[in-house]
Every structure is written in C-alpha cells, then in structure tokens.
Amino acid sequence: IAVDEEGDNVVVGWNDADGFIPPFLFDGTSGWGFSANSGASFVDGGGMPPGTIATVPATTIVVAGDPWLEVLNEDSDGDGSEDEQVFLYANLAVALIGPGTGHVVEGVTVHRGTVTSGVLTWGTPSLIPSPSPVGTFGLDKEAITVDNRYGSQAVYVSATNFAPAGNIVLFRSFDGGVTFSGPTQVQGPGVDGVQGSMPAVGRNGEVFVVWERGRFNHPLVTPATPNARIQFARSTDQGATFSPAIDVASIRASTRKPPAGYNRSRYNDFPRIAVAENGAHQGRIFVVFHATATNPDGTDKNLPGTVTVLGAGNPALPAVADADAFLKFSDDGGATWSACTVVNGAVGDGKAQFWPCVSVDREGNVHVTYHQDIETDLNPNPAVLETNRGLDGVGGRIRRSDRSSLVNTFLARSTNGGVTFSAPVQITDVTSNWSRTVSNIIPNMGDYLTSVSLQDGSEERIFASWQDSRVQIDINPGPIVDLRPIPSVAYA
C-alpha cells in the first residue's frame, strides 16, 4: 500500500490469480487498485502495463508479482517546491522473447504513476535487468524505498539474486526511478540462505537494508537453539558500498510450521524496517520480525496438534509454530540494537502472530500490523480433517490437520519509540478460515500485509491493506482477482 502526504490518494497492489496459470506468463500477474477518497472506495485497475525492448524479435517485459509500492515527492514544474507526488510500483519482471519462445525471469520493473483529476495513470516501466545469466531464476522478493528529503530524487530497490547463489543486492536511481544502476552487493551468498530484504533511508540519507539469513535451516534439526538471524547493513554513500552485516536478532524460524490452513509447506520469516523522520526519537531505526523464540529464550514453541505435509521431500511437522511478533530499535545507525519488545502482548499465548509490518507517523508514533492465527477444532470429532488441501499448485502435496486456521489482522501502537506497545486492536471485520475455500485456485494469503502511518494535525491515520476470504472466486473463464484490496481502516 502507498498513500500520498494528504492521505487522499491510496494505491494497493496484489497478485492476480490469472497471472499464475501457467506460471508468470500472462500480463496481469500484479494488479492494482486506486482510491481518490482516502480509501472509502477503490477502482480495480487490472494488470500493470507492459513495456517493450527493441530486439529482434521484440522482447515484451511484463510484471510477475511480488508488488511493492512507495511515494516520491517531486518538483514537477521546476519552481523549487515539491508539488507532485509520484507513485512507484516495483515488481518482478518477465521477458517474453518473441511469440511462443518461452520466458525468462529478467529482473525488476518500476512503474511511475501520477494522479490527474482523480485518475491514476502508469507510465512505461523502467527495467532493472537481472545480473544473473539468461534463463536462470534471477531476482526475487524485491522491495523499494525513496529518499524524500527535500530535493532528492533517490530511489533504492533491494532484491535477492539467486544465480549463481542467493545474495542480497541493491539498485539505485537518482532521477526518480526513471533509470537504475547497480547492482551493489549488500550481503554475499550463504549456504544457509539469505532472502527477504527491505531497504529504508535514514534522516541523513543513509541507506539501510534488513533481511533474513538461515532460511534453509530446518527447525527440526536444531530444535534447542536459534537457527536463523535477522541481519542489517548500512551505506553512507547512497548505496555505493555497504558495511559488513550486523546481526539484529537470532530467531527460531517458523518457516516450516505455518498455520494449518496456509496453502504452502512453508512461509517466510522476512523482517520489515522503518525510520522515524520526526518526533522525540528522530532517526531511530525500527525492525520487526516474527519468531517462535528469540533471545534470550532460545526455546522452540509449538501449538498443540499436528499438521502433516504429504508428498516427496515434505516432512511431517509435529506441531504448528506459536510465533510472536517482536520489535528492536537502534539509535546509532544500526551498530547496536535494543532488547526485544513483544508487540502482541505476551509470548507463547497459544496463538500464532506473524508477518508483522512497521510504519512510523510524523510524530514518531510506531504502528505494527500483523496476522494472528488461532488453531481450533470447529468439529470436535478428531477423525474429521478440517484442513485437507493441495500445496503450491503441485500435485501429490497435501496439507492435512484436524484443526482450522482462523485468521485476523491486528494493529499495536507505541508512543514511546517502541519501548512498549498498547494492547493490540483487531482491524479486520471478517475472520478468515484459511482451511476452507470453494475457489478452484489455492489463494496465497498473507504475503502482502502492509500499513502506512500519517499525522495530519491532531489526527493520526493508519491505512492498512490485507487479504482475506470474504470473497470466494473461480478463475474460469477468467481473468479474475484472487487477492483484492479491502477498504482501508483508519484507527485513531
């Protein structure tokens, strides 16, 4: 989600079902919705427009998911004042090289969108080519941020480069996202896996990147100790070079133990980052993440019951992870980090809190949104499988449980710089049962939970977007949206 400074124009991005059948071949994998009335109503914009490279035959660049949005302030009329706000929409890119010749993952696209008379229009996308060889997987899980200090046109995109091995890279633009250079290596490859980066800009123009390391470590192999890390790096030269990686936290990953109703055998433990631009804690860096245990605990926590994943290479999982949402902050540019603050109130509360996202308003108040899953027996008969569904769109992989996943979205607020949080507030008005669906696709719930904080005079406004199961769909004959924007929720 991205919102302009006044809170009037709101853009939400998501993945469209039709773009995955067959995988990543159709224009429209990434959809968008636009609101010109502060989220009261949305217009479904369809798929992002493609671009063309003049090759023989012509190469068409289309978007391929993992959407990420930002807002850049610009001086459109050259009078020295920033009078226009440009929406930037980053996506993975697929190159369709001539008709019927297949496709390769080619890199990342960045679209620039402007609003005129209440209508959002996207321009031709800029292409950030993958540094990997053609035909390899290339870039994945990109994220975009901007330097909105007065007069700056700096835009930064971080991503994981998978060939020849996973490493975190950064691309830079100094013309508002029209052209990009790079990559700069933020973190080299590791045998335990690095993935899920996110960049942010400091109050003096520093570039910060946070990511997860250890995603390939299996919690069942080392159950007594943390098996993954949240890492951070800093650049003081606009992303040209980065400091060595710093460990923010050691975590017990919940990657292999997602909620019973989740449609995949694993989900992500990726962190999120934000910086306070104003307020009493100006310049403070905030990082949020979820974990089944965190220092100094170090003990894996599981909910009762079992979830079994059937199929080659898929282990039986003894229990669903009781994940909790945590926050750490730094006041010295990321050199040292605070102790963990529990965002969701209590550790080990018999619920799974996961995929936290953080935003900071202009007064320095910190807001964290996250999903909460309650595993429960809706049918008291233990022989009844309440979760029994295929995984990942691949035949032969089935996820089974005698429980259902009841999921809502919550928000917690801190007015003292992340030291403590208020009691979480539920912002969803529909509880999703991730174990049940009547659609003929497998919805990928949860990946694009986001929120934005604004301060307008005495009014504090938080815009949150998520996806839930209130709308059941069938893609035949298609196209149709499977993850659609829900009207924004304001909480004050």
Side-chain angles (χ1 to χ4, degrees), residues 227-290:
N227 65 304
R229 290 170 283 170
I230 304 301
Q231 293 192 308
F232 169 93
R234 172 186 177 183
S235 172
T236 57
D237 54 12
Q238 294 185 294
T241 60
F242 278 84
S243 65
I246 295 170
D247 285 350
V248 177
S250 296
I251 67 170
R252 292 291 299 132
S254 54
T255 299
R256 302 282 178 171
K257 303 179 184 179
Y262 191 62
N263 68 301
R264 301 184 186 275
S265 55
R266 64 185 183 190
Y267 66 170
N268 70 61
D269 297 308
F270 304 155
R272 295 291 181 257
I273 186 172
V275 180
E277 298 179 2
N278 301 288
H281 304 286
Q282 188 177 48
R284 177 168 288 183
I285 309 167
F286 301 93
V287 170
V288 294
F289 52 92
H290 71 248

Side-chain angles (χ1 to χ4, degrees), residues 28 44 53 57 98 100 139 143 249 325 344 347 394 409-410 417 421-422 430 435 441 444 447 459 490:
D44 186 345
I53 297 178
L139 299 177
N344 51 266
V347 174
V394 179
T409 303
F410 284 78
F421 278 84
S422 62
V430 171
S435 298
I441 63 156
N444 189 16
D447 279 353
E459 184 181 46

Side-chain angles (χ1 to χ4, degrees), residues 290-366:
H290 71 248
T292 60
T294 189
N295 288 341
D297 183 1
T299 302
D300 198 19
K301 302 188 298 299
N302 298 315
L303 295 174
T306 61
V307 174
T308 302
V309 180
L310 303 180
N314 292 282
L317 307 181
V320 173
D322 179 0
D324 295 289
F326 299 94
L327 176 142
K328 281 193 169 187
F329 59 82
S330 174
D331 290 322
D332 55 10
T336 60
W337 292 85
S338 69
C340 277
T341 299
V342 182
V343 174
N344 51 266
V347 174
D349 58 0
K351 306 169 185 177
Q353 288 92 4
F354 55 101
W355 285 330
C357 300
V358 61
S359 59
V360 187
D361 67 24
R362 297 181 188 125
E363 299 297 319
N365 299 309
V366 184

Side-chain angles (χ1 to χ4, degrees), residues 1-2 11-15 29-32 48 62-71 86-94 107-113 122 125-128 139-146 155-159 171 177 180 197 199 448:
I1 188 171
V11 184
V12 179
W14 63 85
N15 280 344
T29 303
S30 288
W32 59 279
M48 297 299 292
V62 300
V63 299
D66 287 358
W68 206 289
L69 284 151
E70 261 291 0
V71 178
V86 177
F87 288 96
L88 301 177
Y89 195 159
N91 291 270
L92 298 183
V94 171
V108 170
T109 53
V110 176
H111 287 76
R112 286 168 48 92
W122 298 105
S126 302
L127 175 67
I128 302 175
L139 299 177
D140 190 33
K141 292 293 182 289
E142 92 298 332
I144 189 170
T145 193
V146 302
V155 180
Y156 302 98
V157 173
S158 67
F171 299 89
F180 284 84
S197 66
Y448 304 111

Side-chain angles (χ1 to χ4, degrees), residues 62-276:
V62 300
V63 299
D66 287 358
W68 206 289
L69 284 151
E70 261 291 0
V71 178
L72 178 68
N73 297 324
E74 286 195 335
D75 177 10
S76 61
D77 54 15
D79 66 353
S81 63
E82 294 175 328
D83 55 4
E84 183 177 57
Q85 293 175 317
V86 177
F87 288 96
L88 301 177
Y89 195 159
N91 291 270
L92 298 183
V94 171
L96 302 176
I97 308 174
T101 59
H103 69 284
V104 294
V105 175
E106 186 67 17
V108 170
T109 53
V110 176
H111 287 76
R112 286 168 48 92
T114 55
V115 179
T116 303
S117 300
V119 177
L120 173 62
T121 303
W122 298 105
T124 302
S126 302
L127 175 67
I128 302 175
S130 170
S132 304
V134 172
T136 59
F137 186 72
L139 299 177
D140 190 33
K141 292 293 182 289
E142 92 298 332
I144 189 170
T145 193
V146 302
D147 184 351
N148 263 331
R149 294 178 302 155
Y150 182 78
S152 175
Q153 291 291 291
V155 180
Y156 302 98
V157 173
S158 67
T160 305
N161 178 35
F162 272 115
N167 59 303
I168 304 299
V169 294
L170 183 88
F171 299 89
R172 307 183 295 160
S173 171
F174 299 110
D175 56 11
V178 176
T179 60
F180 284 84
S181 62
T184 299
Q185 181 164 282
V186 179
Q187 170 63 34
V191 294
D192 52 354
V194 293
Q195 174 62 300
S197 66
M198 179 179 175
V201 176
R203 60 178 298 197
N204 297 313
E206 311 97 321
V207 182
F208 307 128
V209 181
V210 66
W211 66 93
E212 179 194 5
R213 180 160 190 167
R215 60 187 295 266
F216 294 143
N217 291 347
H218 201 302
L220 302 183
V221 176
T222 56
T225 58
N227 65 304
R229 290 170 283 170
I230 304 301
Q231 293 192 308
F232 169 93
R234 172 186 177 183
S235 172
T236 57
D237 54 12
Q238 294 185 294
T241 60
F242 278 84
S243 65
I246 295 170
D247 285 350
V248 177
S250 296
I251 67 170
R252 292 291 299 132
S254 54
T255 299
R256 302 282 178 171
K257 303 179 184 179
Y262 191 62
N263 68 301
R264 301 184 186 275
S265 55
R266 64 185 183 190
Y267 66 170
N268 70 61
D269 297 308
F270 304 155
R272 295 291 181 257
I273 186 172
V275 180

